[in-house]
Amino acid sequence: MPLKEDLSVKQIKPNIDGGKAAANNKLTLVEQVQFLYVKIVRASNLPVNKVSGTCDPFLELKIENYKGVTKCFQNTTNPVWNQVFAFTISRLQGRTLEILVRDKALLNDEIIGLISFGIGDVPIRLPWDSPLAPQWYRLEDRNGYLSGGDLMLAIWIGNQADDAFSIAWHSDAANVRGECVANTRKKVYYSPRLWYVRVKVIEAQDLISSDRTRKPKVYVKATLGNVVLRTKVSSTKGANPSWNEEMMFVAGEPFEDILVLNLEDRIGDNKEECLGRYMIPLHKLDKRLLPVAPGDKWVNLERIVMVGDDKKEVKFASKLHLTAFLDGVYHVFDEPAHYSSDLKATSPELKPGVIGVLELGILKAEGLVPMKFMDGNETADAYCVAKYGSKWARTSTSVGTLAPKWNEQYKWEVYDPCTVITVGVFDNCNLQGGEGTRDSVIGKVRIRLSTLETDKIYAHSYPLLALRPNGLKRMGELHLVVRFSCISMVNLLHTYTQPLLPRTQYLSPLSVYQLNNLRHQAAYLICSRLSRADPPLRKEVVEYMLDTKARMWSMRRGKVNVERVMACLSVFVAVWNWFDGVRQWKNSATTVSIWLLFILLIIFPEAILPKCFFCLAFIGVRNYWKRPKHPPTIDTKLSHIEDASRDDLDEEFDTFHLQSQAKLLE
């Protein structure tokens, strides 16, 4: 049954200043949220336990309904914490902040000193101010007398544009403990710069086989990281085989892997012998920064010989003729081509100029579907990830709510307007410790920059849709504010006259099979690099944002592609129907007008081109005024999501089907 819910994009009116604030205000597209920041630096001369003579201090920050705790130090009276705490002022019930110094070595973590602050007396720090300098405070007991020891801290009121926001412990994550707190903070990640590694194997000379009575059947096996590619067996049998075949890999900076070329002799069906090896680190390869390609060269091969149980490398006179370099004149795809957020070449020499700035405000989400069951309640721990170009922005995690509010703003440089920004919403499943837990996918929104007017603020709520085995499901809605600011309208219009991809990609195009294989390598490489960050951007998140399963064919996707082709051809059908209507006098006024125009063009043939350009201009102006006012979202009718049959869904979610297609592509 078709989905009855309204899946359109709706305009919203958030409480934002829309860029009317000062130029150095970092929050122009989101609502400003006030936080009470407390930076605990260090303590000195804390009193020790009279019995044990030691002190295991830690701090407890309390404001009525919220409590934050620092880490505990063992056996020291001069601990250094350097921790920042942030309390959302709108959710605070009390007006007094108490900072308690406790000793873990004492019974019931007894208090050895405290400091109190009235929230109304805390200074307000503006975003353009320098960080507030911490100062020393004397510790007191419950009766207001000095208890001994000093505490260095800084306390101020700021918003989410504060430098301390991303490293602070937030009161909204009060139920998260230990190292899992790091998984709730906002972070920015960058994908590695990707290069194509091109290896063209031409020929070899003077290969020596262990069996001199037979002619070796040699092929070349190239290994880079976990990717292994092979050439065909040389048609030239003997000691001087030739191939003239090219293999391509994807590598990312900084280069960590070594390119290994093995010349293998196929002795039997399941047995090979290595006749030579050539190894070179990637950072030693030449870089192709301009369309002119590096030349070929001869290299010496090494051979590994078994002497007993030991391996011994033997150098001999065998050589390999090849061309190997890092190709930077192509764009390395890591996303589907029709949803790409970056189209420029890898080479910095071919990098285009910046044409504008993209600003994204992630406000909130509403009506999220419960993703977990905690403490008797259905809830979700949602966060957003936005990707444009090589920059990934991850918001903080809103813990334990189905209506999270983030109000975070991010900015990207734009090199081409024909690109897409992707914003995904996920449920954080790594707040209770443990390894191997995958974050759950909630939904995704894509916005094409070419559909945005320059310097206009778009504030809309986008439906979050997910295709499940039982059909299309609405997962909630995401509120976003987007603005594309143009630096120069002339440069912007000039980009529309240029090809989308680097020119070399059209002069020497890669095959569809190569592009799919290389995109799979690029996605794997980005997953492995971003998963090593702290906190990591997990593999399932990166794969969903890069849409790694988009290359998988299904019957539903086949129907969509056929209908798109038919929609393009329908223009010619419509023109023919119109012409046939004129020819058969279905509308007399239209037919007479066309005949008069035809006679005028015969009498005045010099007016043909001006009238054609006038008609095109008229059509363009008419379409401009009829353009959609909201950024487009997914078309559920065109994509056949609403009317997908049970067989189509079973095919699309068949794990064996997906694995078999992935193996064919690899």
Side-chain angles (χ1 to χ4, degrees):
M1 294 293 293
L3 199 67
K4 300 299 182 181
E5 298 182 68
D6 184 11
L7 303 179
S8 62
V9 177
K10 302 181 182 64
Q11 190 170 6
I12 59 176
K13 296 181 179 180
N15 184 22
I16 60 177
D17 57 24
K20 298 178 182 179
N24 47 7
N25 192 344
K26 299 180 181 179
L27 302 176
T28 58
L29 300 182
V30 297
E31 300 177 11
Q32 297 192 20
V33 182
Q34 297 294 321
F35 293 91
L36 174 65
Y37 289 100
V38 183
K39 182 178 181 180
I40 306 297
V41 182
R42 58 184 302 175
S44 66
N45 301 322
L46 296 179
V48 298
N49 187 354
K50 296 180 180 180
V51 178
S52 62
T54 61
C55 180
D56 301 336
F58 69 95
L59 299 186
E60 182 180 285
L61 289 77
K62 295 179 60 177
I63 306 181
E64 290 294 332
N65 53 324
Y66 288 109
K67 180 176 69 173
V69 180
T70 67
K71 55 186 176 182
C72 180
F73 286 92
Q74 301 291 329
N75 194 19
T76 178
T77 59
N78 301 292
V80 178
W81 285 286
N82 280 322
Q83 288 183 250
V84 181
F85 295 81
F87 299 88
T88 307
I89 291 183
S90 61
R91 300 184 182 180
L92 298 180
Q93 299 177 3
R95 305 305 299 172
T96 302
L97 168 66
E98 287 188 334
I99 302 178
L100 310 177
V101 183
R102 295 181 178 271
D103 187 356
K104 197 76 173 179
L106 297 178
L107 185 63
N108 295 326
D109 301 338
E110 185 176 337
I111 298 174
I112 60 177
L114 63 87
I115 303 174
S116 298
F117 295 93
I119 297 180
D121 300 328
V122 175
I124 298 177
R125 176 182 177 266
L126 299 176
W128 51 84
D129 288 342
S130 299
L132 195 66
Q135 59 184 3
W136 289 101
Y137 293 88
R138 291 290 182 88
L139 295 176
E140 301 175 351
D141 57 16
R142 287 290 188 183
N143 299 321
Y145 297 103
L146 297 178
S147 62
D150 301 295
L151 183 62
M152 178 183 282
L153 60 88
I155 180 171
W156 71 94
I157 293 177
N159 53 34
Q160 64 269 40
D162 201 291
D163 297 336
F165 180 82
S166 60
I167 61 174
W169 173 94
H170 288 265
S171 56
D172 297 340
N175 296 327
V176 182
R177 292 290 184 266
E179 297 180 354
C180 297
V181 174
N183 292 324
T184 65
R185 294 171 179 160
K186 59 178 291 188
K187 293 292 179 182
V188 172
Y189 306 83
Y190 280 90
S191 301
R193 178 184 290 183
L194 301 178
W195 295 77
Y196 282 146
V197 182
R198 308 188 73 152
V199 182
K200 185 176 182 181
V201 182
I202 303 174
E203 59 180 331
Q205 286 185 354
D206 302 330
L207 297 182
I208 301 176
S209 176
S210 58
D211 186 1
R212 303 294 181 88
T213 60
R214 56 179 292 275
K215 293 182 179 181
K217 302 177 181 179
V218 185
Y219 67 91
V220 179
K221 180 174 70 175
T223 306
L224 183 64
N226 65 331
V227 181
V228 180
L229 299 178
R230 295 177 174 85
T231 66
K232 298 179 181 178
V233 176
S234 174
S235 58
T236 306
K237 305 296 189 296
N240 301 310
S242 61
W243 300 273
N244 204 29
E245 294 186 33
E246 185 179 56
M247 296 171 284
M248 294 185 67
F249 302 87
V250 176
E253 292 183 352
F255 302 115
E256 301 174 348
D257 296 321
I258 298 177
L259 177 64
V260 181
L261 301 178
N262 288 330
L263 275 70
E264 303 283 346
D265 180 15
R266 180 170 295 175
I267 300 176
D269 294 336
N270 298 316
K271 186 177 180 181
E272 290 87 14
E273 178 187 4
C274 182
L275 303 183
R277 172 179 294 178
Y278 176 68
M279 303 172 61
I280 181 172
L282 290 183
H283 66 270
K284 293 186 178 181
L285 290 177
D286 295 332
K287 291 183 178 180
R288 182 188 182 187
L289 304 179
L290 295 174
V292 180
D296 53 346
K297 59 182 178 180
W298 287 90
V299 296
N300 296 323
L301 298 177
E302 295 180 349
R303 185 176 181 182
I304 299 178
V305 180
M306 298 296 297
V307 180
D309 295 334
D310 299 331
K311 293 183 179 179
K312 181 180 179 182
E313 291 189 1
V314 179
K315 295 184 178 181
F316 58 110
S318 297
K319 292 182 178 293
L320 180 64
H321 190 194
L322 57 81
T323 302
F325 58 92
L326 297 168
D327 198 343
V329 299
Y330 285 80
H331 168 68
V332 181
F333 282 99
D334 57 349
E335 303 165 292
H338 49 287
Y339 291 134
S340 182
S341 61
D342 182 15
L343 299 171
K344 59 182 181 294
T346 304
S347 171
E349 303 288 340
L350 303 177
K351 184 178 180 180
V354 178
I355 63 170
V357 175
L358 173 65
E359 296 173 274
L360 173 67
I362 304 177
L363 301 182
K364 61 181 179 179
E366 291 183 350
L368 294 183
V369 174
M371 304 299 293
K372 57 171 69 97
F373 192 80
M374 296 290 293
D375 299 329
N377 298 319
E378 292 182 334
T379 183
D381 303 323
Y383 68 93
C384 293
V385 175
K387 181 194 183 298
Y388 184 78
S390 61
K391 180 180 177 180
W392 302 65
R394 170 177 172 166
T395 67
S396 57
T397 300
S398 189
V399 181
T401 176
L402 298 178
K405 294 183 179 180
W406 295 287
N407 286 302
E408 299 179 18
Q409 183 172 334
Y410 301 93
K411 184 183 295 186
W412 289 266
E413 291 182 338
V414 178
Y415 298 90
D416 195 308
C418 301
T419 48
V420 177
I421 182 172
T422 305
V423 184
V425 185
F426 304 89
D427 177 51
N428 198 331
C429 299
N430 291 273
L431 301 182
Q432 307 301 323
E435 295 293 336
T437 306
R438 295 172 59 89
D439 289 348
S440 302
V441 173
I442 297 179
K444 179 166 52 181
V445 173
R446 288 190 174 106
I447 302 175
R448 191 172 295 276
L449 270 62
S450 58
T451 62
L452 306 178
E453 295 184 26
T454 57
D455 301 317
K456 179 181 177 180
I457 295 178
Y458 290 83
H460 293 87
S461 66
Y462 298 82
L464 296 172
L465 306 177
L467 187 61
R468 300 299 189 213
N470 56 352
L472 182 65
K473 186 175 183 181
R474 182 189 179 100
M475 307 295 288
E477 61 180 32
L478 180 64
H479 292 209
L480 301 176
V481 180
V482 184
R483 176 170 59 189
F484 172 44
S485 302
C486 175
I487 297 177
S488 172
M489 183 59 67
V490 175
N491 293 338
L492 175 62
L493 296 177
H494 177 69
T495 57
Y496 283 100
T497 65
Q498 302 299 312
L500 288 177
L501 297 171
R503 297 182 184 277
T504 313
Q505 213 131 8
Y506 299 100
L507 298 176
S508 301
L510 304 177
S511 65
V512 176
Y513 174 80
Q514 278 183 302
L515 288 176
N516 285 334
N517 188 17
L518 294 171
R519 192 169 82 84
H520 177 73
Q521 294 184 37
Y524 177 84
L525 182 61
I526 293 175
C527 288
S528 62
R529 292 292 179 89
L530 296 184
S531 63
R532 297 189 321 203
D534 186 24
L537 195 60
R538 300 187 175 275
K539 178 183 178 182
E540 61 271 15
V541 175
V542 178
E543 288 182 344
Y544 182 71
M545 295 293 291
L546 296 180
D547 211 355
T548 56
K549 295 181 180 180
R551 64 185 186 275
M552 301 301 178
W553 187 89
S554 66
M555 185 62 69
R556 181 185 64 84
R557 289 191 174 99
K559 294 178 182 178
V560 172
N561 292 333
V562 170
E563 290 199 4
R564 285 175 176 168
V565 173
M566 296 303 296
C568 293
L569 298 178
S570 64
V571 176
F572 301 98
V573 177
V575 171
W576 171 255
N577 291 334
W578 174 83
F579 178 77
D580 188 63
V582 172
R583 185 176 60 86
Q584 297 185 10
W585 291 77
K586 292 183 179 180
N587 189 325
S588 300
T590 303
T591 304
V592 170
S593 300
I594 294 300
W595 274 108
L596 291 177
L597 179 62
F598 180 69
I599 293 172
L600 288 175
L601 292 179
I602 293 177
I603 299 174
F604 304 102
E606 65 274 7
I608 294 178
L609 288 179
K611 288 186 178 297
C612 290
F613 287 121
F614 174 79
C615 292
L616 293 176
F618 176 77
I619 294 172
V621 172
R622 186 187 64 178
N623 292 339
Y624 177 78
W625 290 111
K626 291 183 178 180
R627 71 191 187 280
K629 302 300 181 182
H630 306 310
T633 184
I634 182 173
D635 190 338
T636 55
K637 293 183 179 179
L638 176 62
S639 58
H640 282 279
I641 293 179
E642 291 185 358
D643 56 351
S645 64
R646 175 63 63 181
D647 293 338
D648 293 341
L649 295 175
D650 290 344
E651 176 201 23
E652 201 148 345
F653 288 93
D654 185 3
T655 56
F656 177 79
H657 168 71
L658 295 177
Q659 292 174 0
S660 61
Q661 289 200 34
K663 289 181 179 179
L664 288 175
L665 289 172
E666 292 174 3

